[in-house]
Amino acid sequence: MEIEVYENVAAVSEAAAQYICRTAQEAVREKGHFLLALAGGRTPNLLYRRLAEQPYCSKMPWQQTFVFWGDERFVPPLHIDSNYGTAWLQLFRKINISSEHIYPIPTIFTNPDNSAILYEQMIRRAFTSLSAKQFDLTLLGMGDDGHTASLFPGREAVAERVRWVVPTENPAGQQRLSLTLPILNESKQILFLVTGVEKKAMLQKVANDQRQEIKQYPAAMIKGRARTLWMVDSAAYES
Ligand SMILES: O=C1O[C@H](COP(=O)(O)O)[C@@H](O)[C@H](O)[C@H]1O
């Protein structure tokens, strides 16, 4: 596991903002655009706020950036639980990015089954029109149960090998949509953000799980094509 340990969530967010900016600039230099898949949940909130501020709001090539989500709660966009709504409030409403470059997972005028089909089509069309075959960078978090995106341990969604997006639910029964291992693991780079003492035990388990042939935790099953980096804070890290 390639892991960088920072003092606290603020330092993790700063390092992640720098990393995203650098990766975006390189991608745009190489091929003219940057495809970014965002994480949901609470951990990336500070990162999204930082990206809306200087120096990142100026340094990021927002006009060449295309944004997707790794998962979504099946709630309306401005619901407090919406991953899209959260990122919009913290980041997108504050910066200069075309709404045509933002690809939220649809959750209105549809149902979870259709939404999954629709989102896969949206990603495929975007890839085709950009001559892309993968996300350049996928951001992910990890729950204290080892889930990532909305791939929860032992659920059917984790075993999906063909579809790129599936409907699923969390253990409390909340309806969600998630990208699956085939598309997540096609990403060129993966950046995990993990903070807080409540993640410490699972981070250790996931590190061990990654070394096993048969893995138990979805977070351990994720591997980017070129790089998988974990940025964690010292509270989550067992030295
Ligand atoms: O990758 C992800 O991880 C989280 C864990 O969330 P957090 O609130 O503990 O940061 C997950 O639930 C989220 O939707 C997802 O994109």
Side-chain angles (χ1 to χ4, degrees), residues 38-44 70-73 83 139-144 147-150 152 176 192-193 198-199:
L38 294 181
R42 283 156 301 153
T43 310
D71 73 323
E72 188 54 280
R73 282 77 175 147
N83 291 339
L139 291 184
L140 287 171
M142 182 195 75
D144 57 10
H147 84 266
T148 190
S150 282
F152 290 88
R176 295 190 180 192
F192 273 96
L193 304 182
E198 68 281 7
K199 307 279 176 76

Side-chain angles (χ1 to χ4, degrees), residues 155 169-174:
R155 295 293 169 115
E169 51 183 46
N170 75 358
Q174 182 188 49

